[in-house]
Amino acid sequence: MRRNIVAGNWKMNNDLPQTEALLQDLKKHVVPDNVSVMVAPTFVNLYHAFESVREYSVEVIAQDMHQAKSGAFTGEVSAAMLKSVGVKTTIIGHSERRAMFWETNEILALKVNAALENDMTSVFCFGEELEDRKSGNHFNIVKEQLEEGLFHVKNDDFKNIILAYEPVWAIGTGETASPEQAQEMHKYVRGLVTDAYTNEIAENVSILYGGSVKPANAKEIFANPDVDGGLIGGAALKAEDFMAIVNSF
Ligand code: PEP
């Protein structure tokens, strides 16, 4: 049975005191049993966050990682390093990584492999740009991103994959895909997983929606049968808003 998941991507926000303050605010809330909750602080605060939420039912995850095991990659962080501070899950292929750090589907495929080799779970992000949506090319783009970046993963390893559909035009813009647009794409993606793998694998993979999710729209987005939660940016930076989203199933 697939899990409901709400993951907060803090991006390049929150220094150490702010990280601790937000975690303290989150800890005032009870996490409901029907949702797995994740937060992704910046690399430098992962260890602190991991220690801070030890007794609380929130998983600390990374925003990215490098595909190589180790070596001369100045500024980068490996899967083994993440694991050594308690991190078991990482976001891979966020649209900001794709657009601003030139991460191609091929690079993302290597990152997924590196995560799997280290028994880590990937929250694999994909989604079309506004021009793709306007020209009706959104399904093709999403299919290409999944086929080139993810669908080489073996059947047995797919349990370590969480999918996150994030239409780029809806990220940080205040513009949300309508519940119908989200459901349409999520259903399509689940169909792609069925075709590439099995119906059982497709039924068990969680597909999150990301793009300007907030307390006011989370309920109607999460109510769709193929939407299993959200990847949250801006609204993850306020504990009250984030926990209202967590409580929207
Ligand atoms: C994101 O960056 O993954 C995201 C969904 O951001 P926002 O919620 O701010 O649109």
Side-chain angles (χ1 to χ4, degrees):
M1 196 50 198
R2 58 189 188 249
R3 289 184 290 161
N4 292 327
I5 299 170
V6 174
N9 175 10
W10 294 1
K11 310 192 183 185
M12 200 171 74
N13 294 297
N14 293 333
D15 62 14
L16 182 59
Q18 289 165 330
T19 294
E20 179 54 15
L22 181 48
L23 293 172
Q24 288 301 337
D25 283 348
L26 288 173
K27 284 192 258 187
K28 291 176 191 149
H29 299 258
V30 177
V31 174
D33 290 341
N34 63 339
V35 197
S36 296
V37 179
M38 303 172 175
V39 293
T42 185
F43 284 135
V44 74
N45 291 323
L46 283 173
Y47 182 61
H48 175 85
F50 179 77
E51 290 295 323
S52 177
V53 301
R54 250 182 204 287
E55 307 294 318
Y56 185 54
S57 38
V58 161
E59 182 184 350
V60 173
I61 71 171
Q63 297 176 15
D64 183 34
M65 58 166 227
H66 196 267
Q67 61 272 27
K69 282 194 175 70
S70 62
F73 300 99
T74 300
E76 292 293 334
V77 172
S78 70
M81 289 169 183
L82 293 177
K83 277 186 75 180
S84 74
V85 296
V87 173
K88 299 194 185 99
T89 302
T90 182
I91 298 170
I92 302 259
H94 190 277
S95 63
E96 287 152 18
R97 301 296 315 173
R98 291 177 184 264
M100 289 189 262
F101 302 94
W102 311 285
E103 294 193 359
T104 60
N105 292 333
E106 291 70 29
I107 291 173
L108 301 179
L110 297 175
K111 291 192 177 205
V112 170
N113 292 347
L116 288 172
E117 279 158 23
N118 285 277
D119 294 321
M120 287 178 66
T121 294
S122 300
V123 180
F124 186 85
C125 303
F126 55 93
E128 81 282 0
E129 310 259 348
L130 185 58
E131 308 85 76
D132 304 317
R133 170 68 58 173
K134 279 188 176 156
S135 65
N137 203 28
H138 44 301
F139 292 116
N140 289 337
I141 291 290
V142 160
K143 187 166 189 251
E144 188 178 282
Q145 290 173 337
L146 291 171
E147 286 181 346
E148 293 182 4
L150 187 70
F151 282 176
H152 62 284
V153 166
K154 294 198 189 84
N155 284 33
D156 281 353
D157 287 334
F158 217 81
K159 58 182 181 310
N160 289 326
I161 303 296
I162 297 164
L163 297 174
Y165 169 55
E166 298 208 304
V168 179
W169 47 272
I171 296 182
T173 59
E175 176 118 12
T176 318
S178 68
E180 294 75 23
Q181 285 172 320
Q183 168 57 22
E184 180 183 44
M185 183 58 87
H186 283 225
K187 190 175 175 200
Y188 172 72
V189 166
R190 208 177 294 285
L192 292 177
V193 178
T194 303
D195 295 345
Y197 293 91
T198 65
N199 191 44
E200 192 188 349
I201 289 174
E203 283 304 317
N204 283 313
V205 68
S206 297
I207 311 180
L208 315 185
Y209 169 79
S212 300
V213 177
K214 35 189 182 283
N217 59 23
K219 240 191 189 93
E220 55 177 1
I221 294 170
F222 295 172
N224 289 289
D226 288 295
V227 179
D228 307 307
L231 182 54
I232 318 300
L237 297 174
K238 280 202 186 129
E240 294 286 314
D241 287 353
F242 186 63
M243 293 312 294
I245 293 169
V246 166
N247 282 290
S248 295
F249 290 94

